[in-house]
Amino acid sequence: MKKLNFGIIGCGRIAHKHAEAIKKNEKANLLCVCDILEERAAEYKDKYGAEAHFTDYRKMLEYSGLDVVNICTPSGMHAEMGIAAAQAGKHVIVEKPMALSLKDADDLIGACDESGVKLAVCFQNRFNPPVQKLRRALEEGRFGKLTHASAIVRWFRPQDYYDQAPWRGTRAMDGGCLMNQSIHNIDLLQWMMGPVESVFGYTATNLRKIECEDVGVAVLKFKNGALGVIEASTTIYPENLEETLNIFGEKGTVVLGGIAVNKIETWKFADSTDENGAIDQHQQDVPNVYGFGHDALVEDFIQAVTNDSKPYIDGWEGRKALEIVKAIYFSVTSNKQMLFS
């Protein structure tokens, strides 16, 4: 089987997870990398054994043999680069959020459809074993009627994190703790609970000197009648505390926790009283908040390209969490409840 040739655009904070996932996969080859800083691009090329490096992503898109582009740049650049890659005939894996506006997200989806290339969004926590187990329980109807849920991200990002680059914490390129950090958990919340009917939110910039929020909260009503709560922050002293997903129903309660929703903390269902063994085999130890989901995401994408099937988290799936965050922001600026169609 011919290996798929990957290229990474943006060699910053998250790029190493993509590079490592590509290098681990026997069906993939890291062909080239790109970063506006020549030194960093060259360092990535040497570290991960790529064939070439670039400082202009459009030049990289012209490189012979390139099949897939992984976009790991600041969020405000995702749509533009993804559209250019699609128009060049390259398949696209884009880090979260896929864009900073719904129009840009739709334009990216449309460009990939028009060019006949695959698009996947990096919500890698969907692949976590505890998350997969929870999803199966929902699909099997074990919760009965869902009553409410919460997605909580209590993390720490010091001021020097934002000061590393001028784009961090800006509306044009980054977003705040809801758009950047909490969007992973918001994705899981809506994936488990279903479509949203309405949302009302508050945000604040309490501690960090940034344009966007460092604390955000929201209440949601889902179309199935269940209620939801979102809490996000990058102000927790003195370090990351938790990323927790709580799902409650008439016949079941599940709490996923750990630093990357990688642990089952509570698992109770009316149809079973002893699942300790099953729970233990789904626990996952991870070294950081990124977890191991990029490995599974890259493998799934290779299968989608090879078999001409839909990626597990395609553009339309990736758009859903973005729509919720944008609705929260609208609610904050208008001081009104945001209704979904």
Side-chain angles (χ1 to χ4, degrees), residues 75-76 78 95-102 122-123 155 161 169-187 203 212-216 230 232-234 318-319 321-330:
S75 301
H78 288 176
E95 262 297 336
K96 59 74 193 169
M98 62 187 296
L100 291 180
S101 74
L102 293 177
C122 286
F123 284 126
W155 282 357
Y161 163 84
T170 65
R171 290 189 180 90
M173 284 290 137
D174 190 20
C177 61
L178 287 164
M179 184 68 82
N180 192 340
Q181 284 80 21
S182 186
I183 197 167
H184 278 294
N185 220 16
I186 292 171
D187 172 65
T203 62
C212 297
E213 79 282 354
D214 58 15
V215 177
I230 293 169
S233 60
T234 53
R319 185 186 187 277
L322 174 64
E323 185 178 16
I324 293 172
V325 174
K326 295 298 290 185
I328 296 171
Y329 287 160
F330 174 85

Side-chain angles (χ1 to χ4, degrees), residues 115-132:
S115 296
V117 298
K118 306 296 182 184
L119 170 64
V121 182
C122 286
F123 284 126
Q124 74 274 4
N125 287 345
R126 287 200 189 191
F127 293 97
N128 291 358
V131 174
Q132 286 285 306

Side-chain angles (χ1 to χ4, degrees), residues 229-280:
V229 174
I230 293 169
E231 178 192 333
S233 60
T234 53
T235 58
I236 300 302
Y237 177 84
E239 59 191 8
N240 288 349
L241 181 62
E242 64 178 298
E243 180 175 358
T244 307
L245 181 70
N246 304 268
I247 307 292
F248 304 104
E250 63 176 326
K251 298 179 181 180
T253 292
V254 171
V255 177
L256 302 186
I259 60 173
V261 285
N262 55 295
K263 298 282 188 180
I264 298 175
E265 296 183 352
T266 302
W267 187 274
K268 302 288 185 181
F269 286 98
D271 63 9
S272 178
T273 57
D274 184 12
E275 289 188 275
N276 289 333
I279 291 173
D280 288 344

Side-chain angles (χ1 to χ4, degrees), residues 57-214:
Y57 78 93
R58 293 186 182 276
K59 293 293 185 183
M60 192 187 88
L61 293 177
E62 298 172 357
Y63 195 63
S64 177
L66 182 62
D67 300 306
V68 182
V69 172
N70 295 52
I71 301 174
C72 304
T73 53
S75 301
M77 300 177 179
H78 288 176
E80 172 192 329
M81 292 178 170
I83 290 169
Q87 291 174 342
K90 315 304 178 187
H91 303 286
V92 179
I93 298 177
V94 60
E95 262 297 336
K96 59 74 193 169
M98 62 187 296
L100 291 180
S101 74
L102 293 177
K103 180 185 183 304
D104 283 351
D106 292 343
D107 288 347
L108 174 55
I109 293 169
C112 290
D113 287 345
E114 185 175 335
S115 296
V117 298
K118 306 296 182 184
L119 170 64
V121 182
C122 286
F123 284 126
Q124 74 274 4
N125 287 345
R126 287 200 189 191
F127 293 97
N128 291 358
V131 174
Q132 286 285 306
K133 182 173 174 62
L134 168 58
R135 179 68 184 180
R136 285 193 295 272
L138 275 163
E139 292 174 346
E140 292 166 0
R142 297 183 65 191
F143 282 88
K145 180 178 175 60
L146 292 168
T147 60
H148 62 296
S150 63
I152 298 170
V153 174
R154 294 170 175 158
W155 282 357
F156 174 71
R157 293 291 183 272
Q159 186 62 43
D160 61 14
Y161 163 84
Y162 294 103
D163 293 342
Q164 289 175 11
W167 59 267
R168 289 189 182 277
T170 65
R171 290 189 180 90
M173 284 290 137
D174 190 20
C177 61
L178 287 164
M179 184 68 82
N180 192 340
Q181 284 80 21
S182 186
I183 197 167
H184 278 294
N185 220 16
I186 292 171
D187 172 65
L188 295 182
L189 178 71
Q190 65 81 25
W191 192 39
M192 301 302 173
M193 300 301 289
V196 176
E197 180 178 299
S198 62
V199 63
F200 187 88
Y202 289 102
T203 62
T205 310
N206 283 332
L207 297 182
R208 307 298 174 235
K209 296 177 182 178
I210 56 176
E211 186 178 13
C212 297
E213 79 282 354
D214 58 15

